[in-house]
Amino acid sequence: MLRIDSVEASEILDIRLAVLRKGMRIEDCHFEGDNDSSTCHLVAKDHTKAVGCCSLMKKDWSENENLSYQLRGMAVLEPHQGRGVGAELLKAAESVVRDKNAELIWFNARIGAVNFYQKFGYEIVSDEFEISGVGPHVKMLKRLLQ
């Protein structure tokens, strides 16, 4: 049974390392803003085992959009991919953002994950760009209707 919980950043670093920062050090898995009071970290647990995670950081999309959150570190352990874990994390993330009275989620999506996000109504809003040491990305966003 899958459960989504809010946790401290330290509880999801191993998942970030295994999925997003393969071959790097655990120190490379800390993101700027992880410890901000407005940041929310979600973990997906299959029974008691953590199998996926994401973080939501209050960060303006643009000067005209001051109530938005950036989704960061979305990751599902390989043996659990394709089983709906990412979908459940994304639904929970959207719920958290709505509860904070924000209307927009945005993020830098890895090229290989773009189709996944498009299935949930996210749109590409930039040209492809490179994040050093991580790979090609595009910016994506979704406006959440209140």
Side-chain angles (χ1 to χ4, degrees), residues 5 10-12 14 23 28 34 39 58 60 63 99 103 117 131 141 145:
D5 293 322
S10 60
E11 296 182 50
I12 61 174
D14 287 343
D28 299 320
D34 267 347
T39 297
K58 188 174 183 184
D60 294 347
E63 291 177 19
D99 288 348
E103 296 180 6
Y117 292 115
I131 295 180
L141 66 75
L145 303 175

Side-chain angles (χ1 to χ4, degrees), residues 42-103:
L42 300 176
V43 66
K45 291 184 178 178
D46 185 7
H47 299 285
T48 59
K49 179 177 172 44
V51 298
C53 67
C54 68
S55 299
L56 293 157
M57 299 177 178
K58 188 174 183 184
K59 193 167 181 186
D60 294 347
W61 165 247
S62 71
E63 291 177 19
N64 301 326
E65 303 272 359
N66 61 5
L67 202 51
S68 57
Y69 276 77
Q70 181 181 13
L71 179 74
R72 296 205 61 198
M74 177 81 160
V76 176
L77 294 175
E78 210 167 299
H80 299 272
Q81 292 175 5
R83 296 182 179 179
V85 175
E88 291 302 314
L89 277 167
L90 203 52
K91 286 181 205 170
E94 289 179 7
S95 179
V96 166
V97 171
R98 282 189 188 98
D99 288 348
K100 293 180 180 289
N101 295 315
E103 296 180 6

Side-chain angles (χ1 to χ4, degrees), residues 93-95 97-98 102-105 122 142-146:
E94 289 179 7
S95 179
V97 171
R98 282 189 188 98
E103 296 180 6
L104 187 133
I105 295 179
Y122 289 83
K142 181 178 182 179
R143 294 183 189 285
L144 304 173
L145 303 175
Q146 297 291 336

